[in-house]
Amino acid sequence: MKLHLNTFLKSTFALIAAIALPSCLESETTVTLEKDGSGTIVEETVLGEQMLQMMTQFAQPGAPEPMSEMFNEEKAKARATELGEGVEFVKMEVIDEEGRAGARMHYKFSDINDVSLTPGDAVEKLSGEEAPAPKAEAKEDSAKFEYADGKLKIIVPATDYDAMAMSQEDSEQNPQMEEMMNKMLADMRITMKIVIAPGIETSEASYTDGDTITLFDVEVGKMMSQKGKLKKISELSKTDKDAAEAEFKKLEGMKIETKRDVTVTLK
């Protein structure tokens, strides 16, 4: 599965660099599918204690409260249109617990066939920068779904090993930048999973646990620390994609569905 790594890392780095602090940022997207093809999407983004403290410290007098700027219903409603035709915003839950804060955005859909998702999209928008108008080809980098008669087909974009390797090379060109990014992104984690509400009869997915399928789970700090292996996998993928896939699955802290089509039969 593709993640726009260069764009994603730069957007995230801009967000964290604005407060110049090693930070914990976790983003989890959970799709729950019902037997009739309807379901929900929950996007949860949580910031760590140090990041929250620095955001408050550097806030300009008279400026809107940082958390309300990052998380609000207006943004969530606009986000619903990006998740697919017919996706509706339901509610926003504020998260404030044990030194962690953020928000949990709830959406609903009537037909999963109209839903498309890209890992990291919710985090990219936190920097507050206006995103460029979406290009038609951007849809090719999203996971899509085909559902009928109790069978779900998950259409997964090709794994972009080159993009992963390139994201490492960008930072290597500036050692100071590399060191700063490694510290700032050390505790970041991005996850996307699908929960099959009625249960799973059979699944071709690489990562299935009970009724939950993980399509994407990346601990960014661990990804950044394995740049040598990612480069080798990128080169290997040019001549032997099966071998590259096997080596990729050995990486620590990275679970990414590499099969292009995954079929799941619901109970």
Side-chain angles (χ1 to χ4, degrees):
M1 174 174 292
K2 287 188 181 180
L3 167 64
H4 298 284
L5 282 164
N6 288 320
T7 301
F8 168 72
L9 289 176
K10 288 175 182 176
S11 298
T12 305
F13 182 68
L15 168 67
I16 299 175
I19 54 177
L21 187 76
S23 181
C24 172
L25 192 156
E26 297 180 9
S27 175
E28 180 176 287
T29 300
T30 303
V31 179
T32 300
L33 176 65
E34 301 292 342
K35 186 78 171 182
D36 64 359
S38 67
T40 62
I41 301 170
V42 178
E43 292 189 330
E44 177 176 311
T45 305
V46 181
L47 312 180
E49 183 176 11
Q50 289 182 314
M51 188 174 188
L52 294 169
Q53 290 174 351
M54 293 299 287
M55 286 173 62
T56 301
Q57 180 178 340
F58 287 104
Q60 297 296 318
E65 196 276 324
M67 290 296 288
S68 64
E69 280 289 282
M70 295 173 69
F71 305 105
N72 58 66
E73 291 192 5
E74 184 178 349
K75 282 188 175 182
K77 289 175 181 178
R79 171 75 177 141
T81 64
E82 300 170 355
L83 294 172
E85 184 179 353
V87 177
E88 299 178 25
F89 170 70
V90 177
K91 65 178 180 177
M92 179 182 83
E93 288 183 78
V94 175
I95 300 172
D96 187 0
E97 54 188 32
E98 300 179 355
R100 302 164 72 247
R104 190 177 294 116
M105 304 299 188
H106 294 256
Y107 306 89
K108 66 178 181 179
F109 56 86
S110 58
D111 187 352
I112 196 170
N113 291 294
D114 296 326
V115 173
S116 64
L117 295 167
T118 304
D121 267 6
V123 175
E124 284 188 41
K125 301 180 187 304
L126 295 182
S127 64
E129 298 178 359
E130 286 295 323
K135 299 179 181 180
E137 61 266 26
K139 284 291 184 181
E140 297 303 315
D141 295 326
S142 300
K144 301 180 183 67
F145 308 92
E146 294 179 359
Y147 180 72
D149 302 323
K151 286 186 179 293
L152 174 67
K153 182 178 181 181
I154 307 170
I155 303 170
V156 182
T159 305
D160 195 340
Y161 300 112
D162 284 343
M164 296 183 196
M166 286 174 61
S167 69
Q168 310 297 322
E169 291 174 1
D170 285 349
S171 61
E172 283 180 352
Q173 294 174 8
N174 186 331
Q176 290 182 324
M177 178 69 75
E178 179 181 11
E179 182 180 359
M180 190 179 299
M181 286 187 71
N182 286 340
K183 289 180 179 179
M184 290 184 172
L185 303 176
D187 295 322
M188 178 176 293
R189 187 169 188 170
I190 311 295
T191 306
M192 188 168 79
K193 60 186 180 181
I194 301 174
V195 178
I196 307 299
I200 295 175
E201 185 70 34
T202 62
S203 172
E204 297 176 351
S206 301
Y207 306 102
T208 302
D209 183 9
D211 296 330
T212 301
I213 296 167
T214 297
L215 294 180
F216 190 94
D217 185 358
V218 172
E219 297 175 58
V220 179
K222 290 183 179 179
M223 182 189 77
M224 301 284 286
S225 71
Q226 299 176 92
K227 57 188 178 184
K229 292 180 180 179
L230 284 168
K231 284 184 179 179
K232 291 179 180 178
I233 291 171
S234 175
E235 290 302 314
L236 181 60
S237 68
K238 294 176 174 59
T239 56
D240 192 336
K241 288 191 176 296
D242 290 339
E245 180 178 327
E247 291 300 311
F248 185 77
K249 289 183 181 297
K250 297 177 184 178
L251 295 177
E252 184 180 2
M254 297 180 69
K255 292 181 179 179
I256 300 179
E257 182 58 74
T258 55
K259 297 177 182 178
R260 295 300 308 276
D261 295 335
V262 173
T263 300
V264 180
T265 304
L266 282 62
K267 288 183 177 179

